[in-house]
Amino acid sequence: MLTIDRLTVEHLGHGCVTDNPNPRFSYTLNGAADDVVRDVTLTVGEWTVHPDTSIATPYDGPALTPFTTYPVTLAVTDAQGVTVTATTSFETGRLGEPWVGTWITDGDYQFTEKKVSPKPMSFRRTVTLAAGKTVARARLFATAMGVYEFALDGRKVGDRYFAPGFTSYKTNLQYQTYDVTDQLTNDGANSDANDDATGTHTLIATVAGGWAVGSFVFTRVNRVTADRQALLAELRIDYTDGTSETIGTDADWDVTMDGPFTMADLYDGETYDATRAFGPDGNAGGAHWRKASIERPKTTPKHIEADYGAPVREHETFAPISCKRRADGEIIYDFGQNFAGVVRLDIANAAAGQTITVRHAEILNPDGTLNTTFLRTAKATATYTCVAGNQSYAPRFTYMGFRYIAVRGIEPKQLTVTGVALYSELTRTGDFACSDERLNQLQSNIVWGAKSNLFDIPTDCPQRDERMGWTGDIAVFAPTACYDFDMGRFLDKWLRDVKAEQLPTGGLPNTVPVQGYGFPATMPEMAIAWWGDAVVLVPWAEYQARGDASVLERMYEPMKRYVNACRFWAGLFGFGKHRYIWWMPTPFQFGDWIAPDVPKMQQWQARGKWTGTASLNNTARTLARVARVLGHDDDAREYDALADRVADAYVSVFTDGDGRLNDEFQTAYVLPLHLGMFPDAATRTKAVNNLAALVERNDYRIGTGFPGTPYILFALADNGRPDVAFRMLTNERCPSWLYEVKMGATTIWERWDGLDEHGECPIGDDGTDLMISYNHYASGAVGAFLYQRIAGIEPIEAGYRRFRVRPLVGGGLTWANGHVDTPYGRVGSAWSITGDRFDVTVDVPFGTTCALTMPDGTTHELTAGTHTATCTL
Ligand code: BGC
């Protein structure tokens, strides 16, 4: 019998508030292979449609009205006439409706200091409900220049962190919608001090500098978007008698700089003085409130739109696995997991005015103290001043990347510490496990690398003074992220900014949103291989996973402009085949970034002509595929032809024409092998054997940088050398994935040699700007290999309507399990080996077909259901 497993609006099962005039609806059915769907009816308010796909049907009915809840019903009828239904709802936001409120600030606050963040600013408004009326519906809409949090009668409104989120503020700013109906009682039911029988309530917003005003990027620039914080909010109250009232931010609001938060900075941490806490109505703590001023921030975002991303929230919590008090009184806690987030302090019997400091770090020095060298300028310190008695505190306007903390100012017996992981709200869609515990730890490290860096935007790292949207990192990691999580909303949001930041000539900045570090967008034509490639590779990865071609439509023009810019740079000053070799470091290349076989930054960058040329082949080929999906056949032919010419040039210029590189290094073989650039099977085989020999000479250790690492195992395994791929994957000698695991890593490191065999960091200032992060997801891109080759799960058609399961046996593994929650339901592959017998169980979701290929080469066509198959190895 058919059932409906999932019904979503804009990727959300519930709670969607949207300004998209055409929100997208998706559903997942469950049923047996012989179940037949006779009819699907989707009803949204007054509009009804019979969708021909379960993925992302856009609303196409009468124009949606703002501030309205729309019921959504899905009815599915089978061949016997049995109908099942599922319901959800969504709410429209402002849909362009002008704000009643206006931007407000503290007009007296002149913030001119450099390289730091402004003092947090607080705003207050007392709201008195109409006498004798009952609130039917109340919504608070809010956004800020800075990051803000609202409290209503002393209680935090909503559960997200860092609202309104990080976007390219010139173009895009999100606002949040909070349902405050239940808090706005008119009968004294909320017995807070300030909520009396007359229905008086107090709204207090605190706005810290965040990305828009605070110090950000490694140069610590500040005031990029606005000179000081500003707030824009509106409270809309509908009463049960049909009347309404709207209260917007204006000069009637109060403002103060005297709140309990005395410092908040994304890198440096937070300082909170509980003796200055406001209390529910803002009258405790001694703050001097005065009237707010109307503000005109120096940046006016083109679009202020209801949240469309994946907001940061609290997730896992960690109790410490050890606590050591040092002779100097500092207490060192180890949470056993590196992660991004904050620490919660539960404090007993404090004295008023007692001050506690908490420093954070990823690793310890040999003497057991925190090693904070690699945080560079980030102070990563929380400082809390207590009131008398018991209390709790956790920072709200900063976050850190850490495993260890060092606490001063309190006795261990008075303190309970809890690590709180913060990251974007993402539905987990996949997992992988196998008989080798080390690979399971690797999978966990990959997932934690992702959780720590999918932080409203895709960041490079969560600890040092960067945490920026480096395009190259997500360009290579996106396919793995899309196995582990439903990345739909997260990537949609970030890609809007990629589009916004692109220059008309096609160049893309290295970090998106730009926010203080614009290179190379400051030089308009610039295109940088592999980093800029994100504009092509990220939408493609998302499309493969979720099957929603609208992301390709939205990004098609930006993709084309970018690939055209790359073609221009490659062709500059070149003749003949050299027109397709990105031969000069023009305009600039990161090359084989972080390749461990050449330790110097200049050596990584010097490989730019190989990596750049292969990038042009890859983006042109991918763009041709995109063009074909969208029906742009002429473009498809044009970019395929470009990709062919680039491949031919690569092979002609860089190899002897017989599968050997003139200058050999791993990435230079990996890319043409993985991207199919060699002209025939014979040359390919020679090339893979040359790569294998190179890897063997390197004791099966990694020699690839960012562009090669994601693909090296595929390049080997898919071209006949899975033996070498598995030896490399299971190698424990540095540099290798399992060396990190052997050394106790709980996340993916930026540098393979981050710790030596004694567990100490061997790298000082070696000319790489102290770039030693222990939480960088890029080389975790190997995760795709675990899913696609070892478990063997891979879409044939985007979104998995048709997919393959083709397990790759090797590495001494005796079993492996992988699953992926696709738009059609769960795909599973679980295999085991007993003697020379291979057994596999495959889960095929309703509405899909699976091509199963066994290790002996036999194939099976599978339809919905759970299937087992056996062969002899
Ligand atoms: C970041 C990298 C990034 C790189 C670009 C680094 O500082 O942490 O991950 O892609 O710069 O070169």
Side-chain angles (χ1 to χ4, degrees):
M1 186 188 139
L2 289 173
T3 54
I4 301 170
D5 272 4
R6 189 182 66 109
L7 172 61
T8 63
V9 189
E10 297 285 281
H11 289 264
L12 296 176
H14 58 88
C16 175
V17 179
T18 183
D19 277 342
N20 183 353
N22 311 101
R24 294 157 297 171
F25 304 92
S26 301
Y27 61 87
T28 304
L29 302 181
N30 198 352
D34 55 0
D35 277 325
V36 175
V37 178
R38 205 177 65 194
D39 178 64
V40 178
T41 304
L42 174 72
T43 308
V44 180
E46 306 293 301
W47 178 70
T48 293
V49 68
H50 300 281
D52 52 12
T53 166
S54 57
I55 299 174
T57 298
Y59 177 81
D60 195 21
L64 299 173
T65 30
F67 314 121
T68 308
T69 301
Y70 285 86
V72 181
T73 304
L74 180 76
V76 180
T77 307
D78 69 10
Q80 285 73 43
V82 179
T83 299
V84 288
T85 58
T87 57
T88 184
S89 66
F90 70 97
E91 210 174 295
T92 48
R94 312 187 61 82
L95 288 174
E97 194 77 4
W99 289 72
V100 168
T102 176
W103 288 104
I104 56 171
T105 189
D106 180 346
D108 293 339
Y109 182 52
Q110 298 300 330
F111 167 51
T112 52
E113 297 97 308
K114 292 205 159 82
K115 296 183 187 266
V116 294
S117 287
K119 272 184 76 179
M121 189 180 279
S122 298
F123 299 90
R124 177 175 72 169
R125 175 68 152 85
T126 303
V127 177
T128 302
L129 300 174
K133 295 193 181 186
T134 304
V135 174
R137 169 185 167 114
R139 295 290 183 273
L140 173 66
F141 302 98
T143 188
M145 293 286 168
V147 290
Y148 76 90
E149 199 177 276
F150 253 103
L152 178 51
D153 299 325
R155 275 199 292 264
K156 174 173 163 135
V157 175
D159 58 359
R160 63 171 291 166
Y161 281 71
F162 306 109
F166 188 14
T167 46
S168 294
Y169 297 120
K170 302 192 289 295
T171 315
N172 299 314
L173 176 69
Q174 299 179 112
Y175 70 83
Q176 287 64 48
T177 307
Y178 305 97
D179 181 352
V180 291
T181 315
D182 291 345
Q183 287 99 304
L184 287 186
T185 52
N186 208 2
D187 53 7
N190 276 3
S191 55
D192 289 322
N194 194 44
D195 178 19
D196 61 20
T198 59
T200 296
H201 299 269
T202 305
L203 278 170
I204 293 181
T206 298
V207 188
W211 298 280
V213 193
S215 84
F216 190 59
V217 313
F218 41 74
T219 54
R220 307 292 302 255
V221 283
N222 58 15
R223 287 171 283 149
V224 172
T225 307
D227 288 327
R228 56 193 163 193
Q229 302 98 302
L231 176 73
L232 177 65
E234 184 180 310
L235 176 66
R236 299 180 74 94
I237 305 168
D238 298 326
Y239 294 104
T240 48
D241 66 359
T243 58
S244 332
E245 71 183 291
T246 306
I247 296 162
T249 37
D250 59 19
D252 267 352
W253 286 55
D254 299 326
V255 69
T256 186
M257 301 296 297
D258 305 334
F261 293 94
T262 55
M263 188 278 285
D265 179 275
L266 289 164
Y267 301 141
D268 289 340
E270 187 176 285
T271 304
Y272 186 92
D273 182 350
T275 65
R276 295 162 67 159
F278 289 131
D281 56 8
N283 290 332
H288 169 61
W289 293 98
R290 48 189 189 278
K291 287 297 164 205
S293 326
I294 305 297
E295 175 74 323
R296 187 185 291 205
K298 70 179 176 199
T299 306
T300 312
K302 275 200 205 105
H303 310 283
I304 304 186
E305 216 174 289
D307 257 329
Y308 47 86
V312 174
R313 293 207 170 93
E314 288 182 14
H315 295 275
E316 295 86 342
T317 55
F318 298 98
I321 58 168
S322 77
C323 164
K324 293 195 182 102
R325 195 170 199 283
R326 297 178 44 76
D328 63 3
E330 199 167 45
I331 320 163
I332 309 286
Y333 294 89
D334 174 3
F335 289 104
Q337 173 67 54
N338 198 6
F339 64 98
V342 290
V343 62
R344 192 175 66 230
L345 310 178
D346 288 297
I347 303 157
N349 298 321
Q354 181 177 350
T355 295
I356 301 167
T357 59
V358 186
R359 298 185 303 124
H360 303 67
E362 294 185 295
I363 56 167
L364 296 179
N365 291 313
D367 66 357
T369 54
L370 294 198
N371 181 334
T372 55
T373 310
F374 306 113
L375 305 183
R376 302 195 307 209
T377 68
K379 296 196 183 76
T381 302
T383 306
Y384 177 75
T385 302
C386 304
V387 289
N390 299 345
Q391 56 219 284
S392 294
Y393 164 71
R396 274 132 68 176
F397 297 111
T398 189
Y399 75 102
M400 290 82 167
F402 65 106
R403 168 174 170 168
Y404 302 93
I405 55 168
V407 179
R408 276 185 197 277
I410 191 164
E411 291 300 315
K413 61 177 186 317
Q414 281 177 277
L415 183 66
T416 306
V417 297
T418 308
V420 181
L422 300 177
Y423 54 87
S424 273
E425 192 69 54
L426 299 162
T427 304
R428 187 77 193 269
T429 50
D431 210 353
F432 171 85
C434 67
S435 55
D436 187 334
E437 270 312 316
R438 300 170 308 166
L439 293 179
N440 297 341
Q441 184 63 45
L442 174 64
Q443 165 69 6
S444 169
N445 296 0
I446 294 168
V447 170
W448 273 104
K451 288 178 173 175
S452 313
N453 285 296
L454 299 174
F455 206 96
D456 205 60
I457 61 150
T459 65
D460 54 338
C461 56
Q463 72 300 84
R464 68 175 175 231
D465 49 6
E466 291 209 48
R467 317 183 195 183
M468 296 150 69
W470 282 99
T471 48
D473 303 48
I474 189 67
V476 297
F477 188 66
T480 299
C482 291
Y483 271 97
D484 286 322
F485 302 100
D486 178 347
M487 296 288 291
R489 285 178 69 92
F490 184 94
L491 292 178
D492 269 6
K493 166 177 168 287
W494 186 71
L495 289 169
R496 281 197 204 196
D497 293 335
V498 170
K499 195 171 175 170
E501 303 279 15
Q502 187 175 35
L503 288 130
T505 42
L508 282 162
N510 283 326
T511 59
V512 175
V514 166
Q515 207 62 20
Y517 172 73
F519 187 79
T522 40
M523 301 173 69
E525 297 85 3
M526 281 204 173
I528 295 189
W530 291 100
W531 270 252
D533 296 9
V535 68
V536 177
L537 304 187
V538 172
W540 184 248
E542 163 62 10
Y543 169 66
Q544 291 302 308
R546 314 299 310 168
D548 177 1
S550 70
V551 66
L552 304 181
E553 273 157 30
R554 287 191 294 281
M555 297 306 291
Y556 189 61
E557 284 307 318
M559 288 182 191
K560 265 177 76 171
R561 283 215 299 274
Y562 173 72
V563 176
N564 293 345
C566 295
R567 172 167 53 188
F568 166 82
W569 281 106
L572 201 64
F573 309 127
F575 296 100
K577 291 193 176 184
H578 285 269
R579 275 169 52 219
Y580 301 101
I581 296 288
W582 207 334
W583 66 282
M584 285 207 312
T586 45
F588 168 82
Q589 295 294 0
F590 286 116
D592 203 10
W593 186 254
I594 309 243
D597 60 342
V598 281
K600 292 271 178 297
M601 213 188 263
Q602 295 90 325
Q603 294 169 302
W604 305 336
Q605 292 171 353
R607 291 175 171 176
K609 70 182 172 184
W610 289 265
T611 56
T613 305
S615 139
L616 181 55
N617 167 274
N618 189 28
T619 54
R621 185 76 72 206
T622 309
L623 178 55
R625 293 184 184 122
V626 172
R628 211 158 277 121
V629 172
L630 299 178
H632 303 305
D633 293 339
D634 289 347
D635 284 358
R637 276 188 291 277
E638 178 186 336
Y639 291 105
D640 263 337
L642 173 60
D644 290 343
R645 278 186 221 112
V646 174
D648 175 54
Y650 189 103
V651 173
S652 308
V653 174
F654 296 138
T655 78
D656 64 358
D658 199 26
R660 181 176 298 279
L661 284 164
N662 305 327
D663 290 300
E664 290 192 302
F665 60 98
Q666 291 184 11
T667 296
Y669 276 118
V670 167
L671 294 174
L673 277 166
H674 180 63
L675 300 172
M677 290 164 73
F678 288 107
D680 53 65
T683 327
R684 204 159 47 237
T685 303
K686 287 180 186 159
V688 77
N689 288 330
N690 290 330
L691 169 61
L694 202 59
V695 170
E696 279 159 28
R697 285 204 294 280
N698 199 36
D699 289 328
Y700 298 92
R701 292 173 306 166
I702 281 278
T704 47
F706 266 40
T709 302
Y711 313 117
I712 188 163
L713 301 185
F714 289 101
L716 289 162
D718 295 352
N719 292 291
R721 298 306 302 268
D723 55 325
V724 182
F726 274 109
R727 282 194 73 163
M728 192 168 222
L729 176 63
T730 54
N731 193 359
E732 285 189 355
R733 289 198 48 210
C734 183
S736 67
W737 288 284
L738 293 192
Y739 173 73
E740 295 181 7
V741 169
K742 186 177 86 177
M743 294 317 299
T746 58
T747 38
I748 298 288
W749 301 347
E750 178 177 27
R751 297 270 297 259
W752 306 92
D753 50 357
L755 294 180
D756 65 17
E757 295 272 354
H758 309 289
E760 290 167 24
C761 178
I763 318 165
D765 188 357
D766 64 348
T768 54
D769 290 337
L770 294 176
M771 281 194 295
I772 303 155
S773 135
Y774 296 87
N775 207 348
H776 243 71
Y777 54 43
S779 65
V782 68
F785 187 83
L786 308 181
Y787 284 104
Q788 285 183 7
R789 292 297 176 269
I790 300 184
I793 301 169
E794 199 171 18
I796 297 174
E797 239 180 74
Y800 294 80
R801 194 181 165 84
R802 180 155 173 75
F803 63 95
R804 76 171 61 89
V805 169
R806 187 168 51 190
L808 184 66
V809 171
L813 299 183
T814 54
W815 62 266
N817 277 341
H819 74 256
V820 184
D821 290 330
T822 75
Y824 297 94
R826 179 161 293 193
V827 166
S829 159
W831 58 259
S832 60
I833 296 173
T834 324
D836 63 356
R837 184 188 147 116
F838 177 90
D839 290 286
V840 65
T841 304
V842 180
D843 294 319
V844 182
F846 180 72
T848 69
T849 56
C850 169
L852 168 65
T853 303
M854 300 292 280
D856 67 353
T858 52
T859 58
H860 306 264
E861 271 300 310
L862 309 177
T863 53
T866 296
H867 306 266
T868 54
T870 299
C871 74
T872 305
L873 289 172

